[in-house]
């Protein structure tokens, strides 16, 4: 079907120009030459309202209080992590685990040489004795007192080689249970808001579901 | 509204502050649409009825911000049609000559001087009823052709034609170029 309005100029304004004008109005872009007046009028019609309370707001809020019940929202993982108190608790817990695990690792001499040496120096300054990187023994808490370093198999600490005098890693080190690893049960005791992820984010759809009864009136 | 899904979800759970955000976002558009349809005096009552209807279905609503606009418009239009039928009057009789709008020449001058939404809407309301409604839905409610077609029960092609006719008619109603600078200045400020 040929529609003159869509294919040729009428009154100097083509359908293409008018469609572009509508897009410009929606985007707030400068209109084509000659359409400034119409553009300005349409922008005025669609412009922002005065900020703050709108007409009829108090009545609408009263109706809202009567019609929409207050229900507790289920927290989704995203919402849960976005809450400031939760973030603080998670960060604090992670920090405690990290520091506690690091100190425990240092106490058992489980850290690599440079870290072990640094831990020895730092913790020693505050009165905590941890083995030095050279295989310090007799320190409380390493569980190897009275045993020659390197014979417990609890830590692959470097030992001087008889021939080179250079430290070497043992050929078959027995890996210890790293004290910095959090217990597995720690996860199960965590709050699990994600167990039922029912994020109420609206599902995009062309038409909303609860359409009211419409009686279209064809003019 | 960047956080529309979150605001909608909180409103659906009874959060009054979240509903206030939705209301303040949608109410101006709703009032402008109903003003073009039924005149300013009736727009407030129809908007209130629209919100009551919307609140009854709010918990089950699913959609984005544009969907919410279309949904509210659909409810508002139904309320308007009901009110017209209740009064045993045809909708065209209301929109062809809105009782509380200024004369077109005065309106055009007011748009130039203040570029206010009310005056611009009064100018749109001077269009034939179908054109006025469709221009309002396309411009004020920012609905696309398909959404307007669904709401009004017309074909998409018919919506385009009516919209173009309305815009051309509006271009004829606009003031002369001699007053354009004042209008442009006013619009720049907004």
């Amino acid at each position: 079907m040929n529609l003159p309005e869509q294919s040729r100029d009428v009154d100097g304004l083509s359908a293409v120009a008018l469609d572009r004008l509508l897009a410009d109005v929606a985007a707030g872009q400068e209109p084509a030459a000659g359409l400034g007046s119409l553009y300005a009028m349409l922008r005025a019609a669609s412009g922002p309202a005065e900020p703050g309370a709108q007409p009829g707001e108090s009545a609408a809020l009263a109706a809202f209080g009567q019609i929409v019940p207050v229900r507790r929202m289920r927290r989704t993982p995203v919402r849960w992590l976005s809450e400031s108190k939760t973030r603080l608790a998670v960060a604090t817990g992670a920090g405690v685990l990290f520091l506690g695990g690091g100190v425990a690792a240092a106490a058992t001499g489980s850290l690599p040489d440079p870290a072990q040496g640094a831990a020895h120096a730092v913790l020693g300054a505050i009165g905590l004795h941890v083995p030095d990187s050279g295989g310090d023994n007799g320190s409380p808490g390493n569980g190897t007192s009275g045993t020659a370093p390197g014979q417990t198999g609890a830590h692959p600490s470097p030992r001087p080689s008889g021939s080179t005098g250079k430290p070497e890693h043992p050929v078959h080190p027995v890996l210890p249970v790293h004290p910095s690893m959090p217990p597995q049960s720690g996860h199960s005791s965590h709050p699990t808001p994600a167990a039922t992820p029912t994020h109420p984010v609206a599902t995009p759809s062309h038409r909303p579901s609860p359409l009211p009864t419409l009686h279209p009136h064809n003019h | 509204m960047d956080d529309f899904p979150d605001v909608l979800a909180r409103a659906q759970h009874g959060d009054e502050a979240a509903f206030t955000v939705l209301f303040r976002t949608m109410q101006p558009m709703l009032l402008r649409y109903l003003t073009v349809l039924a005149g300013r005096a009736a727009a407030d009552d129809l908007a209130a009825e629209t919100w009551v209807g919307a609140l009854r279905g709010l918990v089950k609503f699913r959609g984005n911000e544009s969907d919410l606009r279309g949904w509210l418009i659909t409810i508002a239009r139904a309320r308007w049609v009901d009110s017209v039928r209740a009064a045993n009057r045809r909708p065209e009789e209301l929109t062809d000559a809105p009782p509380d709008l200024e004369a077109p020449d005065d309106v055009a001058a007011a748009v130039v001087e203040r570029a206010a939404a009310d005056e611009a809407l009064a100018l749109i309301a001077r269009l034939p009823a179908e054109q006025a409604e469709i221009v309002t839905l396309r411009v004020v409610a920012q609905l696309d052709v398909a959404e307007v077609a669904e709401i009004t029960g017309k074909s998409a092609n018919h919506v385009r034609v009516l919209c173009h006719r309305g815009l051309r008619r509006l271009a004829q109603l606009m003031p002369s170029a001699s007053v354009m600078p004042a209008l442009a200045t006013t619009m720049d400020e907004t």
Side-chain angles (χ1 to χ4, degrees):
Chain A
M1 180 174 66
N2 293 327
L3 296 172
E5 291 82 358
Q6 293 183 322
S7 58
R8 69 184 68 166
D9 287 354
V10 176
D11 296 331
L13 294 175
S14 70
V16 173
L18 292 172
D19 285 339
R20 188 179 301 121
L21 175 66
L22 288 175
D24 290 340
V25 169
Q29 296 177 347
E30 287 297 317
L35 293 176
S37 179
L38 182 57
Y39 170 87
M41 192 279 291
L42 296 176
R43 286 284 292 173
S46 59
E50 291 292 323
Q54 298 298 311
E57 186 167 310
S58 58
L61 285 173
F64 177 77
Q66 294 177 351
I67 296 174
V68 180
V70 177
R71 296 179 297 142
R72 190 173 66 86
M73 292 185 68
R74 292 179 177 176
R75 295 188 303 175
T76 65
V78 173
R79 183 185 304 280
W80 182 72
L81 286 174
S82 69
E83 292 175 358
S84 59
K85 290 182 178 178
T86 303
R87 284 199 304 267
L88 179 62
V90 169
T92 303
V96 168
L97 283 175
F98 179 78
L99 293 176
V103 170
T108 59
S110 301
L111 296 175
D113 282 352
Q116 188 69 37
H120 175 78
V122 172
L123 296 177
I126 59 174
L128 294 176
H129 299 286
V130 298
D132 201 354
S133 58
D136 179 77
N137 56 15
S139 60
N142 70 354
T144 60
S145 296
T147 305
Q151 293 181 354
T152 62
H155 176 62
S157 60
R159 290 177 53 81
S161 168
S163 58
T164 63
K166 295 179 180 179
E168 287 181 352
H169 289 287
V171 178
H172 301 292
V174 178
L175 295 177
V177 176
H178 202 288
S180 66
M181 291 292 290
Q184 293 298 319
S185 60
H187 293 290
S188 62
S189 63
H190 225 350
T192 55
T196 56
T198 56
H199 199 296
V201 172
T203 302
S205 61
H206 182 65
R207 294 304 328 154
S209 53
L211 285 174
T213 302
L214 175 62
H215 308 288
H217 183 86
N218 294 325
H219 303 303
Chain B
M1 189 190 310
D2 294 336
D3 55 348
F4 175 80
D6 182 64
V7 173
L8 173 64
R10 288 193 286 121
Q12 290 174 322
H13 285 76
D15 187 330
E16 187 175 287
F19 173 72
T20 301
V21 172
L22 290 181
F23 180 85
R24 292 181 179 182
T25 302
M26 297 293 168
Q27 177 73 342
M29 174 273 300
L30 206 54
L31 281 176
R32 291 173 188 182
Y33 171 67
L34 289 169
T35 297
V36 169
L37 282 186
R40 193 173 302 129
D44 287 340
D45 290 342
L46 288 171
E49 294 176 17
T50 299
W51 280 108
V52 170
L55 287 172
R56 292 197 176 107
L58 183 65
V59 172
K60 295 180 180 178
F61 174 82
R62 297 292 182 272
N64 57 30
E65 187 172 355
S66 177
D67 291 332
L68 182 60
R69 280 199 301 271
W71 185 51
L72 290 172
I73 287 290
T74 301
I75 299 172
R77 193 173 195 275
R79 295 294 175 271
W80 167 65
V81 171
D82 289 346
S83 71
V84 171
R85 287 176 175 167
N88 285 327
R89 296 164 66 184
R90 293 176 57 81
E92 290 82 356
E93 293 174 354
L94 287 177
T95 54
D96 281 350
D100 51 355
L101 296 178
E102 303 171 64
D105 290 341
D106 295 338
V107 171
V111 170
V112 175
E113 292 173 359
R114 296 189 291 168
D118 285 349
E119 283 71 22
L121 292 172
L123 203 58
I124 293 174
R126 295 298 305 167
L127 297 172
E130 289 180 317
Q131 297 175 21
E133 180 181 20
I134 287 175
V135 167
T136 304
L137 292 176
R138 294 282 284 123
V139 174
V140 178
Q142 299 177 6
L143 300 177
D144 61 28
V145 170
E147 291 171 320
V148 174
E150 184 170 344
I151 289 171
T152 58
K154 304 180 190 305
S155 71
N157 209 29
H158 195 191
V159 167
R160 287 192 189 92
V161 170
L162 289 172
C163 186
H164 293 158
R165 286 176 180 167
L167 292 175
R168 290 189 185 99
R169 176 66 180 148
L170 284 175
Q172 294 174 347
L173 292 174
M174 288 306 298
S176 65
S178 61
V179 294
M180 283 293 296
L183 181 58
T185 301
T186 304
M187 292 308 299
D188 287 343
E189 292 173 355
T190 59

